Amino acid sequence: MHSDLKDQYNILCIDDNANNLFTLSALLKSIGGIHPILAESADKGLKIVLKEQIDLILLDVQMPVMNGFEAAKLLKRNKQTRDIPIIFITAVYKSEEFVSEGFEIGAVDYLTKPIDDQLLKNKISLYLKIFEKKRQLERSEKKFYNIAQSIGDGIYTVDMDLCVTFINDAALALLGYERRELMGKAIHEYIHYKDKNNKLLNKEDCSVEYALKTAKHYEIDDEYFIKKDGSFLPISMSVTPFIEDHEVTGLVVVFRDKTTTNKVLELEKEKLKNQEQIIHSMVDMIESRDSYTAGHTKRVAHYCALIAKGMGYSPSEIALIKKAAWLHDIGKIFTPDNILLKPTKLNHLEYELIQDHLLAGYNILKDIDDYKAIAEIVIEHHERYDGKGYPKGLKADEISPFGQIMIVADAFDAMTTNRVYKPKKSVDVALKELQALSMKQFHPEVVTIAVEVLKDIEIDETISQLPTNKLEEQRFSYFYRDRLTNCFVIDYLELILRYYDFSNDLYVYRVELHNFSTYNQKYGWRAGNNFLIEMAEFIEKHYSDKIIFRIEGDDFLILSKEKIENIEEKFKECPLLQDSAVYVTIDEKYSNDVDKMEEMIALYS
């Protein structure tokens, strides 16, 4: 249950199989905070989407009349529905081309049948957290709206005809009007019709009209408004166009009585506070995806600050690059779990998809005024000095100075922290590699400073991509689980020996099934599969604290830190073996030398 969720979320399940819908509904209800809505065809699903508030769609691909891809294309073309996240569910093998087509349409993720219940729960739980963060940001915006209503500075907004669409209480108090007297009225005729010399002012000569025509933000410190009683109010004024889809749709005007400087300072303080809240919310969204990535962003921010300080940048500039580093991987929010969390090296298609996080991060930040500079840094952190980077192929000084710094800091952290598929380098070796790649991957001046300021960095030895809690372990080990029995596959062996502390004692038991092929021939492969599933459940039930592998199809391997007593007798009690010709032999091996453990286990596998 998600007791931390404040809202209930509507998830639409579209599948032509009623049994599948029943299963999905039960799974979603078990998570908590979810109202599943079911549709037995794409057509019915599309009608529901237009009537209901839908937060996420689980969409089957193979359906009669209209398949999932066709339905998704219609959803993405509709302005009302195009932003609803879609997860495709299909029984078709996920070839690279098939997956690519789904993502090109706009899916955020992909699942295949039969669905792994725990994997589905993990994914849905993750998206619920992201939805919750989004709604928290929306509440923050509403809070800021309420602040605008209560602060001492006057604020009003107008449409393209300069008619008032919002005015706060402070503005009304300063001008002496009631809200009903100004809402929907042409503001020029009430407070801008004279200049500061008491001469009538034409609408086209009005400073607010000028901002509307030029679509530019401007500030003026010696403006005067006319109050209701006809007197002049000396103010400083800031006018900002509303721009939607590259077109001006109105203006927001903030004006301040020049005697209210203390209230101005309060507004600035509140603005900064809200900016920081947005930053921390974005960082939290990153951490909810992948704890390793979250630690990476904080380390890169630290290294960026050290390098920028060494290069003589000001405190405000250092603060800017730190914020950019905290958010440089925010685009990975849109990277599917099966790519972001894959513990082995990515294939070509997966690598292309993960590269998209740069543009995704840029698009998140570029339309927020205070984050435009950060967006420009974020999109550059995988460029190279020699022009062989991505996404733009910039080279040398085409890359911004802060981008050059982040490229070095990001690479240094990648070199000095353990990844599943490669061990870390020492600080000394990493700095020498930076020097070797100077003028190729990295800017030479940045490398020179980095070598100096990072030489005494102490790297936390515990940093790793390996899981640190039960949820992470389930998401991580998913890539190494046998899909039939949920036991580990032998490829997980190397990581198991690194991840678990065997204290130099390891007992290995090979559980070998005999006559299983005869059982298969007699009862069929489906019954054979059920036999293996039940055998795995028996082993897990009695040895849940051990590490269990499925090997060579019908055999199992049990790893234990201590000797398992009476294991043969325990298997004799197995009901499966009582009523069939299948019998089990168990071979035990022991090692107290960690370096020889893999060699010993290899004899079994």
Side-chain angles (χ1 to χ4, degrees):
M1 295 288 291
H2 284 272
S3 58
D4 57 330
L5 295 181
K6 298 179 181 179
D7 301 299
Q8 178 161 293
Y9 295 89
N10 292 334
I11 297 183
L12 175 61
C13 306
I14 304 176
D15 196 309
D16 61 317
N17 187 305
N19 291 332
N20 291 342
L21 289 175
F22 177 83
T23 301
L24 285 173
S25 177
L27 280 172
L28 294 175
K29 288 179 179 178
S30 71
I31 297 174
I34 294 175
H35 172 54
I37 300 174
L38 310 181
E40 294 183 355
S41 69
D43 181 62
K44 291 180 179 179
L46 292 174
K47 291 178 181 178
I48 291 172
V49 157
L50 295 175
K51 295 179 181 179
E52 303 281 350
Q53 175 64 42
I54 301 298
D55 298 296
L56 177 67
I57 299 174
L58 300 179
L59 179 58
D60 186 28
V61 172
Q62 290 187 304
M63 293 184 291
V65 184
M66 182 189 301
N67 65 35
F69 286 162
E70 293 169 334
K73 289 177 181 177
L74 291 175
L75 290 167
K76 294 302 177 183
R77 290 173 190 160
N78 189 318
K79 188 174 182 180
Q80 180 181 342
T81 61
R82 66 187 177 194
D83 293 327
I84 302 174
I86 297 172
I87 297 178
F88 280 127
I89 299 178
T90 180
V92 177
Y93 176 71
K94 295 200 300 181
S95 67
E96 290 185 355
E97 297 79 8
F98 200 61
V99 174
S100 177
E101 182 178 359
F103 288 134
E104 286 176 1
I105 292 172
V108 299
D109 218 325
Y110 224 109
L111 289 173
T112 54
K113 302 174 185 176
I115 295 175
D116 183 316
D117 293 357
Q118 191 58 48
L119 175 62
L120 177 62
K121 287 184 178 181
N122 290 343
K123 285 182 178 290
I124 296 300
S125 297
L126 174 62
Y127 283 110
L128 290 185
K129 290 178 182 178
I130 294 174
F131 294 159
E132 191 70 13
K133 291 295 181 185
K134 181 180 177 182
R135 293 197 179 179
Q136 287 174 5
L137 287 174
E138 291 172 349
R139 294 187 186 102
S140 179
E141 291 175 359
K142 183 177 180 181
K143 177 183 176 183
F144 192 75
Y145 182 90
N146 292 333
I147 291 172
Q149 183 58 268
S150 61
I151 61 176
D153 294 311
I155 299 177
Y156 69 85
T157 61
V158 294
D159 59 20
M160 293 298 291
D161 295 321
L162 293 183
C163 293
V164 177
T165 55
F166 165 81
I167 186 165
N168 70 349
D169 292 338
L172 293 169
L174 288 169
L175 297 170
Y177 283 97
E178 295 181 11
R179 181 169 283 101
R180 61 180 176 78
E181 295 177 303
L182 293 181
M183 286 297 296
K185 305 294 178 60
I187 195 66
H188 174 79
E189 305 299 327
Y190 289 81
I191 67 173
H192 296 296
Y193 62 91
K194 290 182 181 181
D195 64 17
K196 60 184 178 181
N197 297 316
N198 204 29
K199 294 182 178 180
L200 291 176
L201 186 69
N202 294 326
K203 180 180 177 182
E204 53 268 24
D205 297 324
C206 174
S207 55
V208 176
E209 174 73 7
Y210 174 79
L212 198 62
K213 289 180 179 178
T214 61
K216 293 181 179 179
H217 166 83
Y218 80 100
E219 296 183 2
I220 186 168
D221 194 48
D222 59 348
E223 184 68 271
Y224 289 83
F225 286 175
I226 301 97
K227 299 172 65 173
K228 183 179 180 180
D229 61 8
S231 63
F232 283 85
L233 176 70
I235 54 99
S236 60
M237 180 173 66
S238 173
V239 184
T240 304
F242 284 127
I243 299 178
E244 296 179 290
D245 297 329
H246 307 291
E247 292 186 2
V248 177
T249 59
L251 300 171
V252 57
V253 179
V254 179
F255 63 95
R256 302 165 182 170
D257 186 336
K258 287 187 177 181
T259 63
T260 59
T261 54
N262 288 337
K263 293 180 180 180
V264 172
L265 292 175
E266 290 176 7
L267 174 61
E268 291 299 322
K269 183 179 179 180
E270 190 65 35
K271 179 182 177 182
L272 289 173
K273 181 180 177 181
N274 276 275
Q275 287 178 347
E276 292 301 319
Q277 287 176 344
I278 292 172
I279 289 174
H280 289 302
S281 293
M282 289 180 174
V283 172
D284 288 344
M285 290 168 72
I286 297 172
E287 291 180 354
S288 71
R289 294 296 313 275
D290 180 13
S291 61
Y292 174 82
T293 298
H296 166 69
T297 60
K298 293 174 183 177
R299 293 190 299 274
V300 171
H302 178 55
Y303 301 150
C304 282
L306 292 176
I307 297 171
K309 183 178 180 181
M311 297 183 72
Y313 286 101
S314 68
S316 62
E317 290 171 320
I318 294 171
L320 174 64
I321 195 171
K322 284 184 69 175
K323 288 180 180 179
W326 290 339
L327 299 171
H328 79 276
D329 276 340
I330 191 172
K332 288 183 178 178
I333 290 172
F334 297 105
T335 305
D337 263 7
N338 64 313
I339 296 176
L340 178 65
L341 303 178
K342 186 177 180 180
T344 54
K345 288 188 176 181
L346 303 176
N347 61 38
H348 177 70
L349 175 63
E350 291 167 338
Y351 185 65
E352 286 187 350
L353 288 171
I354 205 168
Q355 287 181 351
D356 289 343
H357 82 276
L358 290 165
L359 186 58
Y362 176 78
N363 287 333
I364 290 172
L365 301 170
K366 69 179 178 65
D367 292 328
I368 306 173
D369 286 340
D370 290 340
Y371 290 88
K372 288 181 178 178
I374 289 175
E376 297 298 334
I377 301 170
V378 164
I379 200 171
E380 293 182 345
H381 76 271
H382 280 294
E383 300 288 355
R384 288 173 54 109
Y385 190 81
D386 58 11
K388 296 180 180 179
Y390 62 89
K392 298 180 181 180
L394 303 177
K395 63 181 179 180
D397 291 336
E398 292 175 350
I399 307 170
S400 69
F402 287 171
Q404 301 279 17
I405 291 173
M406 189 178 294
I407 291 167
V408 172
D410 189 45
F412 177 77
D413 185 66
M415 294 176 190
T416 54
T417 52
N418 278 320
R419 302 293 178 94
V420 170
Y421 52 85
K422 71 172 184 65
K424 69 176 183 178
K425 295 177 174 67
S426 68
V427 170
D428 184 58
V429 170
L431 294 179
K432 288 179 179 177
E433 186 167 331
L434 291 181
Q435 290 175 311
L437 293 171
S438 178
M439 297 287 290
K440 297 176 183 176
Q441 186 171 346
F442 310 117
H443 193 292
E445 182 183 353
V446 178
V447 169
T448 299
I449 300 299
V451 169
E452 180 62 29
V453 301
L454 299 178
K455 64 183 180 182
D456 296 323
I457 286 290
E458 294 185 6
I459 305 297
D460 185 351
E461 296 296 327
T462 65
I463 296 172
S464 172
Q465 277 186 305
L466 293 172
T468 58
N469 57 50
K470 289 293 185 182
L471 176 60
E472 288 181 11
E473 184 174 340
Q474 282 298 315
R475 293 167 67 187
F476 180 84
S477 63
Y478 163 78
F479 296 91
Y480 293 102
R481 293 282 186 179
D482 171 51
R483 295 297 177 262
L484 180 66
T485 64
N486 203 39
C487 296
F488 290 119
V489 295
I490 203 65
D491 292 341
Y492 201 28
L493 174 61
E494 179 183 354
L495 298 178
I496 286 290
L497 293 178
R498 263 201 277 162
Y499 181 46
Y500 289 88
D501 177 19
F502 288 101
S503 302
N504 294 330
D505 285 320
L506 176 64
Y507 290 85
V508 181
Y509 297 86
R510 176 168 182 150
V511 180
E512 187 171 1
L513 274 60
H514 298 276
N515 288 338
F516 186 71
S517 58
T518 303
Y519 183 94
N520 261 336
Q521 291 172 1
K522 182 176 180 180
Y523 298 104
W525 65 269
R526 195 179 297 273
N529 282 347
N530 290 333
F531 188 101
L532 292 173
I533 292 170
E534 292 181 33
M535 177 58 70
E537 290 173 349
F538 174 84
I539 299 173
E540 175 65 29
K541 176 181 178 181
H542 294 285
Y543 304 108
S544 59
D545 59 335
K546 315 302 180 189
I547 303 169
I548 305 166
F549 294 84
R550 179 189 175 193
I551 61 173
E552 296 185 357
D554 54 4
D555 294 340
F556 296 87
L557 209 62
I558 303 174
L559 274 60
S560 176
K561 296 179 182 179
E562 58 275 328
K563 182 179 178 63
I564 302 177
E565 302 293 344
N566 303 318
I567 187 171
E568 291 87 355
E569 286 75 8
K570 181 60 66 178
F571 272 88
K572 289 178 182 178
E573 299 173 4
C574 178
L576 286 170
L577 304 176
Q578 306 298 321
D579 304 322
S580 70
V582 178
Y583 67 95
V584 164
T585 59
I586 299 173
D587 185 29
E588 175 192 287
K589 289 192 181 298
Y590 166 76
S591 174
N592 59 2
D593 184 345
V594 174
D595 293 333
K596 294 183 179 180
M597 287 179 181
E598 284 193 51
E599 181 180 342
M600 177 187 71
I601 296 175
L603 296 175
Y604 284 112
S605 58

